[in-house]
Amino acid sequence: MITYAREDGLTAADYIACVGATSLGQGRPLANTDRIQAMLDNADLVVTARDADGSLLGLFRAVTDWHWVCYCIDLAVVEGQQGKHIGQTLLDTATALLGPKVSIVLLSKPNAEGFYRHIGMVEPMAAFMRPRTDRS
């Protein structure tokens, strides 16, 4: 049985173990525990998927105004657990917590675009980014 819930206080160690077991981990500063903890502490919404023994199977991390838009920063499901609807259920749980007036926006990794299309997300016409200069 998998439990999906909003989780305040997710630890950097749990995040690193989960995201590090996905292709998303390659783009995150997993060696910098303090930065990871700051990223978690400053997120507005973290939803987790945990199995019966408490192991973290996946997570959704976002910033939101709770009234118009939610920017999903991470949607990660550990290798070996993908294909079990965990990612979609994390998004569904976040959607329920946010309510029907809030859109969820995210940037997809190129190899994950098919997943988002498959679950019914739509592609915006344009996205722009000012890259960070510190990648540590």
Side-chain angles (χ1 to χ4, degrees), residues 23-116:
S23 62
L24 191 62
Q26 300 166 2
R28 300 296 185 265
L30 300 182
N32 188 337
T33 306
D34 290 339
R35 188 168 184 183
I36 293 293
Q37 193 60 59
M39 290 163 46
L40 293 168
D41 292 345
N42 288 287
D44 297 310
L45 178 60
V46 175
V47 178
T48 58
R50 291 188 180 271
D51 67 10
D53 72 2
S55 297
L56 188 59
L57 304 177
L59 63 86
F60 170 100
R61 180 175 69 94
V63 293
T64 183
D65 58 18
W66 297 99
H67 295 277
W68 184 254
V69 68
C70 173
Y71 294 98
C72 176
I73 303 162
D74 298 315
L75 179 60
V77 176
V78 299
E79 301 289 336
Q81 297 297 320
Q82 296 172 3
K84 298 179 181 180
H85 304 287
I86 295 171
Q88 182 171 357
T89 306
L90 284 164
L91 276 168
D92 291 345
T93 303
T95 299
L97 290 165
L98 291 160
K101 294 182 179 181
V102 179
S103 295
I104 295 176
V105 176
L106 59 84
L107 295 174
S108 173
K109 290 188 62 97
N111 60 348
E113 293 165 331
F115 166 74
Y116 295 110

Side-chain angles (χ1 to χ4, degrees), residues 7-31:
E7 188 167 333
D8 295 323
L10 185 68
T11 67
D14 272 350
Y15 176 94
I16 291 165
C18 178
V19 174
T22 73
S23 62
L24 191 62
Q26 300 166 2
R28 300 296 185 265
L30 300 182

